Amino acid sequence: MADFEDDSSLLALLLDVSPAALSCLASTPGLGLQSLLEQLLTFVNTFLLLNDANRLAVFTAGAAGCQLAYCSSSCLPPAVAGPAAVADAAWPPSASVLSGLQQAVTAVAQAATAAGVPPAAGAACQLSSALSRALCFINSQQRRTATALPGGGPLPEGPDAGGGGGGAGPGQRAQAARVLVLAAAPDAPSQYIAVMNAIFSSQRSNVIIDACHLGQGHSAFLQQAAHLTGGVYLRPTKPQALVQYLNSVFTLDAGTRALLRLPGAAQVDFRPSCFCHKRQIDLGFVCSACLSIFCEQLPACTTCGTEFEGKQK
Amino acid sequence: MAESSDPTLYTRRAKRGTGANAVEGVCMITRSRVKWQPSDRSKGEAAVIDIGAITRTQQAPGKPFIKLDTAVGALVLGFESVADRDDAVDLLRQLKPPAGGAGSAAGSGGGSAGGKGASPGAGGGKGAAPTAGGKLLLPSDTQRAALFKADPDLGTLYKSLVVAGILGEAEFWSTRQGLLRGGGGGGGGGVRKQRVGLPSAMLADVKPSADGQTEKVHFQLTPEIIQQIFTERPEVHRAFLAHVPHNLDEKAFWTRYFKQQYRRMARRRRQGLPMDGGDDEDEDELFAPFRKSLQEQERQRAKAEVGRVDPTVNLAADAGEHFASGGFGSARDGTRDPAAALRSTHLGAIARDINRHAAVVLGGAPDALDRLREGSTGGAGGGAAAADTARIAAALAEQQTAAAKAAAARAAKGKAPVGGAAAAGQGEAEEVSPERLAEWQTRAASALDDLRLDDRESSYMPLNIQDPRAYFDAGTGAAAAAAATGADGKLAAKQADGSTAAAAAAIPSAAGTAAAAGAGALADGGTSALLAALAAVQPAALPNPPCDPGLAEQVLLELCQDQDASLVQEFGPVAAAALQYPPHDKAHGLLDMLIEHFRGEALKANELLRHFWGNLPLVSAARAERANKLACALQEQRAILVPHMRHPAGEGTSHQVYTTMMLRPLVAAIDAALARHQAEQQQRRKAPP
């Protein structure tokens, strides 16, 4: 029992609901928003059914920021876990996920209306803040698990203790965590640094970032995120059968993946954005002190102030 | 950009001028220039001299000064030590444009034979013909042969690029100056002498050896140990100078010394016993007076030093020497132990010894001993010993007086800018001038003062990100939203009765204000469409099947076959599948010879690319011409590589796939360079200079 390898996982699902993504998704032939959501909820159900201890959090990533739309009852603090677990037991979980999504989207829309901000049609999603938010969530979950289980002893309860279909209790050891980004908006080069920072922190904390890109073209951010964290980047050629992609590739936990051949990106686009104009560049100048990237030669680094000697031309 | 920079090869503290007017500063030597910058801009002007313009180099033997004559005038620099000066001279000699083709090797060879103390200025006079390529070091024939022998790839590269006429000799070596300068050549290059370190055994080697039959113990002395004893125990040094050989002969002197040492050792071993006389003061009368005078001197010096030393740092160091006072481990409870006070003085003495020893070891073997050793190689027999000791003592004394003089000069100069100067030295030491106080404060604030820039103005450059609003607005928006959700999460926790969904996603209108601050812009058709879709989904009755089964099957096949459409198109399905999972052994199934060939070609291409990018941007005609030449060479290189990527044995064999995988990045790099070259050329044509 002590050596039992836990193959459950904590999945943070980031759903891109930015205007750019929505318009892109709505225009995909054979895949309306409704179909997309249905397939996504099917995936959610599948994931939660695969393992009793699987936990899920759903975030909406919009142009205005990121909202937590749903999380498993076992992700809540212990004080509310008890009564909530009963509510969570209502099957299928897709119902709660859906209502959570509804509320999150409504709230953002209301806020925007209340603020009287004109809607920006082509705004991309705040991938950086969404990723950071998901990472914070995962971190807090892992910390809570660690404190709830001093000394990392054996699991205090079997799968039967959780009752009919309820999530396992808080007494779990640190669960493998990953983030799945379901995006359709094109990259916003201005977010390059923030996104890369989020990717690096997730790499450090052993959180895999999976990415499923439904938009046109490839997303360099997501490619790099998956590449650097050891996740899978996938751009479905047939987005109409999204659920098949999701179920075949993204339900798998990290341990199982090691045994499988998963589709991977043959080539990763490693091009960075320059720090000065936020353009994507493939050839640039790098500060010798702080490694900031610039698209043109500058007399001094704008990030760290190092003066570049030598010929200026 | 890499070409244009001129890296600093040498940086040492150096004063400009001699005597009391010298200004403290830093001397830097780059490949082409000697620069001197004053520490304090107000006291002197920076000087820059082209190495090619130096007509004569003069050094004073035994003193750390160098004089660089140019047509305009002379620059006199005083380094902190002769070794620093010698390093600078060596470097200058290397960087100096050679007078003739073979002159450089001969010159450096002669220099190394001359040794450290010799004046190598002889070669300086003839290097009066600075040429454009003169800054470059070119290897001599022997050096080149040695380099090629050490690195066969370099030889091949040289043959295929320089001998073939694609790159010039100077161009080729310009990127490998480090190899030449590092003395890796071995063929007559001036190999820099390594300074000899000291053992850190703390005179533990000088253990008495007893023969077991008589009561006598024997000590073994070597010149190194003698020298170490002299430096670590100045009182012994002084006693030696004063008494040997007039009053005592050397043997008697050492006997007395070791008797005292032996007693001390024994006492320390019995340290716990309080009745054992207890303190270090009862010394041999031979050393005691010198010890006393030294202590007195030390006290005075310390007093003078107090004015100059940063108190924040020094207090800590001082506390370190008295570490025994508080005690540690089992001795921590000092109050209850009557012997504690006594022991603490002992421990303090030991700590002092250790510190003194550490200082000597870190200082390294002084040059004086070095020279002595060179002088008396082989003659280390018993007969020479007495003379040796005397010579060591004399040399050390000489060195110490020189150091003292230098220190005094430094102190005098340090005082001069402080102002008063009329006040007596001690009076001045009493008070701390406001400037000095300010300096201490900044130093204490910055903690690591060697990281501080000399130039105050440039040391505080604000972190400047262009258009910070674009950067941080998004962040604040997200933060506000997060805060709102977090607060709601707590609220929900208190309610604790609703469904999970409600708890997790409760974003009541109260949160609206916070989210509004984030200035979100999402209330258009997209959102309403999304809301409509959300409303239309029936979670309890999701469609079954969720998607078209036919499509799902295709997807499954696609995922399992795991093929990249572009790869399939390029290589055919079988090879593409193989290519998707490159084996860990990337060269799987290729002939060794072929791989070796590819390696050579890759090295060649990389070298060409390096030079090519070095010539960009094409700001001058010379650069453009060079870039053109390199671009042609790159094209040829590409022409060599590309046929390998075609299908020698039909479509999609593993051979072709692996070869392609191996060569593709290289060809892509060449293509990128060529594309860039074309773009640059077009730009140049559009806007002629």
Side-chain angles (χ1 to χ4, degrees), chain B residues 561-586:
Chain B
Q561 277 180 357
D562 193 16
Q563 281 172 347
D564 190 321
S566 61
L567 289 178
V568 174
Q569 203 178 2
E570 191 176 345
F571 298 110
V574 180
L579 201 54
Q580 278 270 300
Y581 311 106
H584 294 297
D585 172 20
K586 295 264 187 196

Side-chain angles (χ1 to χ4, degrees), chain B residues 239-607:
Chain B
F240 185 90
L241 285 176
H243 294 297
V244 180
H246 333 293
N247 306 342
L248 284 171
D249 73 338
E250 200 189 337
K251 189 163 179 189
F253 177 83
W254 287 120
T255 312
R256 263 178 104 162
Y257 170 73
F258 280 116
K259 267 187 189 157
Q260 186 237 331
Q261 280 305 106
Y262 194 75
R263 275 205 303 274
R264 207 167 152 198
M265 234 187 277
R267 199 172 51 231
R268 275 186 182 170
R269 212 171 288 147
R270 280 171 287 153
Q271 191 186 61
L273 303 174
M275 299 315 289
D276 192 47
D279 62 304
D280 271 345
E281 303 305 322
D282 73 331
E283 278 194 274
D284 195 296
E285 69 276 13
L286 187 61
F287 305 116
F290 294 105
R291 192 189 181 91
K292 290 242 168 66
S293 79
L294 266 171
Q295 278 173 344
E296 188 53 38
Q297 269 184 12
E298 185 72 10
R299 212 166 292 139
Q300 272 176 5
R301 200 184 55 79
K303 213 169 168 189
E305 196 88 327
V306 162
R308 268 190 290 132
V309 173
D310 186 345
T312 50
V313 177
N314 218 24
L315 282 176
D318 197 41
E321 265 193 7
H322 298 298
F323 67 88
S325 59
F328 50 85
S330 57
R332 220 180 102 71
D333 197 3
T335 49
R336 277 182 221 160
D337 188 354
L342 203 74
R343 201 183 300 132
S344 78
T345 61
H346 277 289
L347 287 176
I350 293 174
R352 261 200 309 280
D353 278 0
I354 292 176
N355 283 352
R356 177 79 192 150
H357 171 76
V360 170
V361 168
L362 286 179
D367 300 338
L369 187 70
D370 252 19
R371 239 174 285 154
L372 274 179
R373 204 174 295 135
E374 273 162 30
S376 65
T377 40
D388 267 1
T389 315
R391 264 198 292 176
I392 291 171
L396 269 176
E398 187 185 307
Q399 209 169 34
Q400 280 165 4
T401 45
K405 260 187 222 156
R410 214 178 305 143
K413 218 184 47 53
K415 271 170 205 161
V418 177
Q426 285 194 338
E428 198 179 320
E430 300 283 316
E431 53 180 335
V432 174
S433 69
E435 293 105 90
R436 190 164 289 159
L437 201 64
E439 192 190 325
W440 288 347
Q441 280 163 351
T442 48
R443 201 177 312 149
S446 64
L448 294 171
D449 67 342
D450 55 337
L451 288 181
R452 210 169 34 131
L453 294 173
D454 283 337
D455 186 3
R456 288 264 159 115
E457 294 309 305
S458 64
S459 62
Y460 298 108
M461 167 80 82
L463 178 64
N464 176 16
I465 296 174
Q466 297 241 342
D467 194 7
R469 278 190 60 172
Y471 245 107
F472 297 117
D473 270 1
T476 52
T485 330
D488 293 333
K490 272 183 213 136
L491 272 178
K494 273 179 200 153
Q495 291 167 359
D497 59 343
S499 71
T500 316
I507 317 284
S509 54
T513 50
L522 186 73
D524 60 342
T527 314
S528 50
L530 180 62
L531 280 171
L534 281 168
V537 174
Q538 290 188 324
L542 289 171
N544 186 16
C547 65
D548 178 14
L551 267 179
E553 191 191 350
Q554 283 177 27
V555 168
L556 194 62
L557 279 175
E558 177 195 324
L559 288 174
C560 294
Q561 277 180 357
D562 193 16
Q563 281 172 347
D564 190 321
S566 61
L567 289 178
V568 174
Q569 203 178 2
E570 191 176 345
F571 298 110
V574 180
L579 201 54
Q580 278 270 300
Y581 311 106
H584 294 297
D585 172 20
K586 295 264 187 196
H588 182 75
L590 293 184
L591 290 175
D592 286 349
M593 226 171 71
L594 195 62
I595 293 171
E596 198 49 41
H597 170 68
F598 286 155
R599 207 172 79 87
E601 295 299 330
L603 281 172
K604 195 171 145 194
N606 278 337
E607 180 75 13

Side-chain angles (χ1 to χ4, degrees), chain A residues 64 193 237-238 278 283 302-303, chain B residues 463-464 471 520 554 558 676:
Chain A
I193 303 173
T237 46
K238 302 177 184 68
K278 308 283 185 292
L283 192 74
T302 53
T303 311
Chain B
L463 178 64
N464 176 16
Y471 245 107
Q554 283 177 27
E558 177 195 324
R676 175 66 187 244

Side-chain angles (χ1 to χ4, degrees), chain A residues 167-209:
Chain A
Q172 286 169 317
R173 73 185 77 190
Q175 221 173 10
R178 60 199 162 94
V179 178
L180 169 58
V181 186
L182 201 67
D187 289 339
S190 63
Q191 292 183 38
Y192 174 72
I193 303 173
V195 170
M196 288 314 286
N197 282 338
I199 292 172
F200 290 137
S201 27
S202 117
Q203 192 185 22
R204 273 189 69 105
S205 47
N206 285 327
V207 174
I208 293 174
I209 298 181

